[in-house]
Amino acid sequence: MLVRDEVHQNISIHISPAELLKMLQFIRTKKQQEIERIKNKINKYIQKKNAEETFYQSLSPFRKLFTGRSPSHHQAVEYIAHVKEPLHQIDKIKQSIFELDHSIHILNEETSRNEITLSGEMIREINMYRKMGNAT
């Protein structure tokens, strides 16, 4: 099977359809694991912030006076860095998983096909997978 770059339309890889399907499924699994890892990081951050807020609310008014608490704009920047940006990463990964699913569907449905067009990013990931030694 020939794999073409969707932008440059040049042939990037010569590979068997079964091996390409295996690689795409492996890459899809890795991306799903990455999403779970990011979600876990977000959940840990939110749990930590909730625990800090609960502790702060449990203090007496006198102790709250002497407790150092970061200004709200610092908390907002922290939220952006620890929650919003990772959520944008998850959205990008989900888009690439959608593209992978589409390519896998094409490979499964059209077995007689001898050519497929993939994005440059997906071709780079396939080449990285091949260099890793096909570790699945």
Side-chain angles (χ1 to χ4, degrees), residues 27-41:
I27 292 169
R28 185 182 190 286
T29 303
K30 287 296 182 189
K31 288 186 179 292
Q32 288 175 330
Q33 290 171 353
E34 179 69 12
I35 287 174
E36 289 303 314
R37 187 187 66 75
I38 293 171
K39 283 181 180 179
N40 287 336
K41 278 177 79 172

Side-chain angles (χ1 to χ4, degrees), residues 14-120:
H14 296 281
I15 192 170
S16 72
E19 188 178 352
L20 180 61
L21 184 62
K22 180 181 164 187
M23 287 180 187
L24 293 177
Q25 290 171 338
F26 176 77
I27 292 169
R28 185 182 190 286
T29 303
K30 287 296 182 189
K31 288 186 179 292
Q32 288 175 330
Q33 290 171 353
E34 179 69 12
I35 287 174
E36 289 303 314
R37 187 187 66 75
I38 293 171
K39 283 181 180 179
N40 287 336
K41 278 177 79 172
I42 292 171
N43 287 337
K44 284 181 184 178
Y45 171 78
I46 290 172
Q47 288 173 353
K48 177 185 159 210
K49 281 304 192 187
N50 288 342
E52 288 174 1
E53 183 63 27
T54 302
F55 173 73
Y56 182 76
Q57 293 301 325
S58 70
L59 294 174
S60 69
F62 184 70
R63 286 192 174 189
K64 284 183 184 178
L65 185 65
F66 293 109
T67 302
R69 193 166 186 202
S70 57
S72 62
H73 66 278
H74 286 276
Q75 292 175 358
V77 169
E78 205 174 279
Y79 180 81
I80 289 170
H82 291 283
V83 178
K84 288 202 74 146
E85 287 178 4
L87 287 175
H88 288 298
Q89 284 179 325
I90 288 173
D91 288 340
K92 288 179 184 177
I93 294 171
K94 283 183 179 180
Q95 287 174 341
S96 66
I97 287 176
F98 178 76
E99 183 182 346
L100 281 166
D101 286 342
H102 179 70
S103 299
I104 289 170
H105 178 73
I106 288 172
L107 286 171
N108 284 331
E109 294 298 315
E110 301 174 23
T111 55
S112 63
R113 193 175 180 143
N114 62 357
E115 187 176 301
I116 190 167
T117 303
L118 301 175
S119 68

